[in-house]
Amino acid sequence: MAGSVSGSRRIMGRLLKCGYGYGNGFLRQFSTSSSDGKSLNLYTAINQALHIAMESDPRAYIFGEDVGFGGVFRCTTGLADRFGKNRVFNTPLCEQGIVGFAIGLAAMGNRAIAEIQFADYIFPAFDQIVNEAAKFRYRSGNQFNCGGLTIRAPYGAVGHGGHYHSQSPEAFFCHVPGLKVVIPRSPKEAKGLLLSSIRDPNPVVFFEPKWLYRLSVEEVPEHDYMLPLSEAEVIREGNDITLVGWGAQLSIMEQACLDAEKDGISCELIDLKTLIPWDKETVEASVRKTGRLLISHEAPVTGGFGAEISASIVERCFLRLEAPVARICGLDTPFPLVFEPFYLPTKNKILDAIKSTVNY
Amino acid sequence: MALSHMATSSSSSRSNLLKPLTAVLSCTLPHRRTISSDSTTTLTIETSVPFTAHKIDEPSRSVETTPKELLTFFRHMALMRRMEIAADSLYKAKLIRGFCHLYDGQEAVAVGMEAAITKKDAIITAYRDHCTFLGRGGTLLEIFAELMGRQAGCSRGKGGSMHFYKKEFGFYGGHGIVGAQVPLGCGLAFAQKYSKDEAVTFALYGDGAANQGQLFEALNISALWDLPAILVCENNHYGMGTAEWRAAKSPSYYKRGDYVPGLKVDGMDALAVKQACKFAKEYALKNGPIILEMDTYRYHGHSMSDPGSTYRTRDEISGVRQERDPIERIRKLILFHDLATEKELKDTEKEVRKEVDEAIAKAKESPMPDPHELFTNIYVKDSGLEVFGPDRKELRYALP
C-alpha cells in the first residue's frame, strides 16, 4: 500500500504494479495524493492533453502509425471519434514522410502533432528533424517556421524491450539548436508539459517514458493547464549532493535518495524537464548549495546529455565543487536484450555513487 | 469507438481477401491420377490462381512437384505452425522477452521460396523471421534458445526474436527497423553480381514497409546496375494495425517498381511460391531486379501486444483459415493423390509437436549468456569496457 514519504514531494505519482507486462519492475509504490482532479495514469494524462489541444485549437492535427486506432500505447484513444478522421489519422509506416509532412503542415500555421511509434524508429526522420525542422526559421530569415510542430515518441526501457524498443535518443536532438526537447516524469507533468510543447512556437521533440505509461498514477487536474518549458524543478530538497535527471529515471533516483537518507545523506533531486534549452540557473543554484553533482540517465554515458550538464556546471561552479561530477548512466553498449539489468543505471549504482561523491 | 468503426468499414476489403479463394479450391485440384508409390514421380499441379504480371510474361500455372516434395512441404509447414504456437505460449509465460512477431499463416512463402533456391542464394528479411530461419536450415533448438535469450541461440542469445542470423546458410537476418533490410539486400546482390556467384538475393519486406522511402532508393540502384535482387513483398494485408488500402494509394505492390517488372503470387500456395521464385531467380540473374508480391495472411496479431482482432473481424481470420490455409491446401493435395493417409498426416503432426516440445526442453537447459557478453561484439576487439564488483557498479575502460 502507498505510504507517505517524509521530506519528499510527490515525484512520480503512485507507481502501480500492473498486468501490462511492464510492471515486473523495481519501481515501488509511492505516496499519496493531493485532492485536485482525478487519479490518472500517464498515457491517460497524455490522452487528456491531446483532447484539450485539439479542442482548444481547431487547426491542430494528430497523426502517426496506428494513432487512428488509439496507438500502440493507447495515448490517442477516442480522438478520431471525437475530432474526426480529417484531424486524427493513420499514416503509412514512413517516419521520414510523417515528419516532413508535419513540418509542411506546421509551416502553414497549423499545430502538427506527429507521433513516432517508438523513439527507436525516429532515425529515418532524423534528417527532416535536424535539417528541415530545426533550421527552417533561421535559414529563411524568419519568413518561415514550423513552430507548430510537436513530435511525440515513447522512449526508454520497459524491462524487456530489447534493442529497438528501449533506446533513449534524446542526446542526438540536444545537439540541434532550434529544437526543444522535453521529457515528463509523471502524469500531471506530462499533461502540462505536453500542452506547453504543443502550444510553444518552436518545434518540440517530446519523449514519453513508456515504462511509466501505466505504472505511474497520480491526481491530474482536469482543466487545461500548462507547465513552463525550460524550467527545472527541485522535487526534493537536500544539502549534501544535487542529483539531476529526467523522465522515468527520476523514480530510480528518488529511491536512491531515500536509501541515502537512511545513511544520513541529504540529497537534492532536480527534474530538468526540458533538456534544451535547459535551466542552468536552477541546477547551478543547487550545486552552489550542495557542492556536489550527480547526473543519471538511461542513454549511454559517452556523449549523453549528462556530459553537457557536467561541463556547464564545472564551468560555472568549479571552485565550489567538492568532488568530481558523477555520471551514472547506461553503459556504452547497444541496448541489450537479456542484460538490461546490467546495462541500466540502477538504484544501487546511484546510491554507491552518492556515497563515494559525498565521501570524496 | 474508433476501433469498432474502423473494423466495420474494413469489411469492404474483407471480401477481397476471400473472393479469389473460394473459387480456388473448387478448381484447384487436378483430376485424380494414379501414381506409382515412387516418391520421385513427377506430378504436375496447377496453381490456385493465375499469376498476375507487371511488365513481364507470367510463368506457367503448371508446377512440377513430387510426392516427396509435397510431404516435405506438409511436414515443414506443420513444424513452423507448431513452433509459432509454442512461441506464443512461451511469450505468455514470460520465458520469451522482448518483442515477438509470429509467422503462422504465412508458412507457404518460407517453404516455397526455399524449394526454388539454393543456400548460395541469400535471404534477408524483417523481424518476422522465425520460420524463414527454420526454412534456411536453422534448428528448433537455435530458435527457441534465441527466443529465450540463451547461449545455444543462433545469435548466442544476444539478438532475440527479431534478430536471427545464419551466415553459412545464406540467411542474413532478422532486422528490427521497418524496411531497413531492403537496401542491405540490394548490397548483398551487388556483391553476388560482382563476384559472379550466379546467385541472387531475396529481400523480404511487408506491405507496411512497402511505403518506406528507402525501398524506392534501393530499387532504383538495383535497376540501374541490373543487380540480381528479388524484392519479395509478403503482403499480409495489414501494416501493424492499418489495412493495406488505408496506407497505400496503390496496394498492387508488384506494380510499385514502375520500371521494374513484378509478379503477384498466391502466397498461401507453396507450389505457386516455388514456381514464382524459380522464375524470378532465372529472370534476375539475366536481367536485374524483379518484385514478387506474395498475397498471404498472418493469423496472429502484428506482435504479441496486438490481439489482432481490433482492425479486422474474427470472421475474416476464420474465413482465411478455412478457405486458404497453406497447410490444409497441401494436406488436400496429398490426400487427393493418395500420397499418404489422413492418419499418417496426423502422425506427422504429432511427431512435429514432440520435436518442438523436446527442443523447448533442451533450450531451457541452455544457460543465459555470460555477463561479459554484454561488452563483446561491439567493436572487433569488443568494447574495452569491463564491469566488476558487487552489483557490477565498477567500470574499467581500455582502448578497444
Side-chain angles (χ1 to χ4, degrees):
Chain A
M1 289 303 295
S4 75
V5 179
S6 61
S8 124
R9 287 163 65 188
R10 179 168 39 90
I11 295 203
M12 305 305 304
R14 227 164 4 112
L15 292 164
L16 293 178
K17 285 204 167 181
C18 65
Y20 188 47
Y22 291 169
N24 61 337
F26 46 90
L27 293 167
R28 295 204 194 118
Q29 292 186 2
F30 272 90
S31 68
T32 55
S33 55
S34 53
S35 53
D36 52 342
K38 270 191 191 162
S39 191
L40 295 184
N41 62 22
L42 197 141
Y43 86 80
T44 314
I46 298 269
N47 185 258
Q48 216 178 67
L50 292 172
H51 272 95
I52 292 171
M54 293 290 279
E55 191 149 75
S56 57
D57 187 348
R59 298 187 71 181
Y61 302 84
I62 295 177
F63 46 89
E65 293 160 12
D66 286 345
V67 302
F69 304 117
V72 287
F73 291 105
R74 316 310 302 151
C75 291
T76 51
T77 304
L79 287 159
D81 273 354
R82 174 119 174 248
F83 300 103
K85 283 192 229 168
N86 293 331
R87 292 180 65 202
V88 180
F89 47 90
N90 288 341
T91 63
L93 308 189
C94 51
E95 291 76 13
Q96 186 174 17
I98 293 170
V99 172
F101 172 88
I103 295 169
L105 185 62
M108 297 291 274
N110 301 292
R111 302 218 177 275
I113 306 165
E115 179 178 304
I116 299 295
Q117 199 165 59
F118 283 85
D120 311 63
Y121 307 166
I122 209 166
F123 299 107
F126 199 56
D127 177 58
Q128 286 290 340
I129 299 170
V130 173
N131 283 333
E132 300 304 325
K135 304 169 176 59
F136 208 175
R137 189 188 298 274
Y138 187 84
R139 69 173 188 265
S140 69
N142 208 25
Q143 290 182 74
F144 285 101
N145 71 80
C146 56
L149 170 66
T150 303
I151 299 166
R152 297 177 41 244
Y155 88 97
V158 286
H160 65 285
H163 315 68
Y164 294 145
H165 295 87
S166 307
Q167 296 176 80
S168 300
E170 69 272 7
F172 292 108
F173 301 94
C174 291
H175 202 56
V176 187
L179 288 183
K180 291 191 176 184
V181 176
V182 180
I183 304 180
R185 69 171 188 267
S186 72
K188 192 172 164 185
E189 291 286 315
K191 182 176 171 185
L193 288 172
L194 181 55
L195 281 166
S196 294
S197 298
I198 290 170
R199 292 164 180 167
D200 189 88
N202 298 288
V204 179
V205 181
F206 190 86
F207 287 119
E208 298 163 8
K210 61 171 123 31
W211 200 327
L212 302 186
Y213 270 143
R214 286 169 196 243
L215 222 50
S216 172
V217 177
E218 73 180 338
E219 306 287 324
V220 178
E222 283 192 67
H223 65 270
D224 182 349
Y225 66 93
M226 303 205 291
L227 296 172
L229 302 185
S230 294
E231 255 183 46
E233 181 186 350
V234 177
I235 48 182
R236 177 192 168 90
E237 288 184 17
N239 299 312
D240 298 328
I241 182 169
T242 301
L243 277 69
V244 176
W246 49 87
Q249 189 59 13
L250 287 165
S251 72
I252 316 292
M253 297 168 80
E254 149 127 303
Q255 290 169 46
C257 293
L258 292 173
D259 282 11
E261 195 171 41
K262 288 177 200 152
D263 290 335
I265 302 172
S266 156
C267 302
E268 182 145 307
L269 182 57
I270 296 178
D271 177 5
L272 202 57
K273 299 189 195 185
T274 303
L275 274 65
I276 51 162
W278 64 287
D279 180 0
K280 290 182 191 169
E281 283 65 32
T282 300
V283 178
E284 183 186 346
S286 173
V287 175
R288 284 199 182 283
K289 181 175 71 171
T290 63
R292 299 174 187 90
L293 174 62
L294 181 152
I295 306 145
S296 182
H297 54 67
E298 274 180 27
V301 61
T302 301
F305 196 65
E308 177 57 36
I309 298 173
S310 171
S312 300
I313 293 305
V314 169
E315 281 165 11
R316 292 176 171 226
C317 310
F318 184 67
L319 293 174
R320 180 63 190 94
L321 281 170
E322 292 176 33
V325 176
R327 286 181 292 155
I328 304 303
C329 306
L331 300 176
D332 286 332
T333 72
F335 198 101
L337 179 64
V338 290
F339 298 123
E340 184 171 323
F342 302 161
Y343 168 90
L344 287 176
T346 53
K347 182 194 74 174
N348 282 350
K349 290 180 188 173
I350 297 169
L351 182 60
D352 201 55
I354 290 174
K355 287 179 185 168
S356 58
T357 305
V358 169
N359 299 320
Y360 185 77
Chain B
M1 284 298 297
L3 301 182
S4 56
H5 180 71
M6 294 296 186
T8 345
S9 61
S10 74
S11 60
S12 58
S13 66
R14 174 167 53 110
S15 50
N16 293 337
L17 282 175
L18 293 180
K19 208 185 286 169
L21 314 160
T22 340
V24 165
L25 272 183
S26 52
C27 69
T28 317
L29 303 179
H31 295 298
R32 178 177 286 250
R33 66 190 83 183
T34 10
I35 53 146
S36 73
S37 56
D38 182 2
S39 65
T40 55
T41 324
T42 304
L43 286 170
T44 306
I45 290 167
E46 188 120 307
T47 62
S48 54
V49 284
F51 297 105
T52 319
H54 168 69
K55 294 203 167 167
I56 197 170
D57 293 329
E58 67 270 16
S60 156
R61 278 183 77 178
S62 303
V63 190
E64 291 196 346
T65 181
T66 62
K68 189 177 168 209
E69 185 175 68
L70 288 177
L71 291 166
T72 314
F73 279 2
F74 181 81
R75 188 187 181 88
H76 282 175
M77 288 199 286
L79 187 62
M80 288 172 179
R81 180 73 51 93
R82 185 62 216 162
M83 184 181 90
E84 292 297 62
I85 288 164
D88 182 274
S89 320
L90 289 172
Y91 193 92
K92 284 172 181 153
K94 297 199 170 178
L95 283 160
I96 297 176
R97 312 311 305 272
F99 282 62
C100 184
H101 310 79
L102 301 179
Y103 198 73
D104 49 325
Q106 303 182 203
E107 296 93 342
V109 179
V111 164
M113 182 180 304
E114 209 55 61
I117 63 175
T118 73
K119 297 287 185 282
K120 259 179 77 187
D121 298 308
I123 295 183
I124 187 166
T125 186
Y127 38 78
R128 203 179 301 284
D129 61 350
H130 308 166
C131 294
T132 316
F133 173 82
L134 188 70
R136 285 262 85 178
T139 65
L140 287 172
L141 174 62
E142 287 172 313
I143 290 172
F144 284 113
E146 190 59 43
L147 284 172
M148 293 189 277
R150 313 290 175 125
Q151 277 181 16
C154 52
S155 307
R156 292 163 48 219
K158 294 176 81 169
S161 162
M162 304 199 288
H163 308 288
F164 287 8
Y165 298 87
K166 190 95 187 167
K167 198 179 176 190
E168 63 268 36
F169 295 156
F171 185 57
Y172 288 80
H175 295 259
I177 299 299
V178 169
Q181 74 282 4
V182 177
L184 266 69
C186 296
L188 300 176
F190 177 78
Q192 287 168 328
K193 186 183 169 89
Y194 196 87
S195 53
K196 300 192 171 67
D197 280 349
E198 291 300 303
V200 299
T201 295
F202 288 80
L204 280 68
Y205 57 98
D207 48 303
N211 301 313
Q212 283 274 353
Q214 50 187 330
L215 248 95
F216 296 89
E217 299 179 26
L219 196 61
N220 179 49
I221 292 181
S222 306
L224 208 55
W225 300 333
D226 301 331
L227 303 182
I230 297 156
L231 270 63
V232 183
C233 177
E234 288 185 273
N235 180 3
N236 60 27
H237 303 282
Y238 296 92
M240 299 193 289
T242 302
E244 53 175 347
W245 58 272
R246 292 179 187 278
K249 180 68 185 171
S250 160
S252 298
Y253 298 102
Y254 67 106
K255 287 186 193 164
R256 304 238 342 234
D258 181 14
Y259 43 85
V260 171
L263 202 60
K264 184 172 180 178
V265 184
D266 180 4
M268 303 299 264
D269 177 355
L271 290 170
V273 173
K274 182 181 101 163
Q275 184 85 332
C277 290
K278 191 163 159 267
F279 173 81
K281 182 178 172 178
E282 283 165 17
Y283 176 86
L285 281 174
K286 276 189 217 130
N287 307 292
I290 178 169
I291 297 178
L292 298 180
E293 177 186 346
M294 303 291 180
D295 178 358
T296 183
Y297 199 81
R298 66 167 147 76
Y299 295 148
H300 266 91
H302 166 73
S303 71
M304 298 306 299
S305 51
D306 166 21
S309 50
T310 48
Y311 48 84
R312 55 184 189 179
T313 60
R314 293 199 186 278
D315 285 353
E316 179 185 300
I317 306 170
S318 60
V320 174
R321 271 186 195 278
Q322 277 167 22
E323 305 265 331
R324 298 181 65 193
D325 187 83
I327 302 181
E328 292 313 307
R329 182 186 295 284
I330 298 293
R331 189 199 304 272
K332 278 176 189 151
L333 276 174
I334 290 172
L335 294 177
F336 185 85
H337 289 287
D338 284 334
L339 308 177
T341 64
E342 221 156 309
K343 183 178 175 302
E344 284 167 332
L345 295 182
K346 284 257 179 279
D347 287 347
T348 304
E349 286 173 310
K350 274 185 205 155
E351 285 162 31
V352 154
R353 203 185 176 106
K354 205 168 145 235
E355 262 180 66
V356 167
D357 290 345
E358 284 169 2
I360 293 173
K362 223 168 154 194
K364 282 181 184 167
E365 283 169 22
S366 173
M368 290 293 184
D370 193 84
H372 87 273
E373 288 279 351
L374 173 56
F375 308 107
T376 59
N377 314 127
I378 297 172
Y379 298 103
V380 176
K381 291 183 180 172
D382 303 333
S383 69
L385 183 61
E386 279 180 76
V387 177
F388 55 95
D391 289 324
R392 299 179 179 83
K393 281 177 300 210
E394 290 170 62
L395 293 176
R396 185 159 50 202
Y397 282 92
L399 282 179

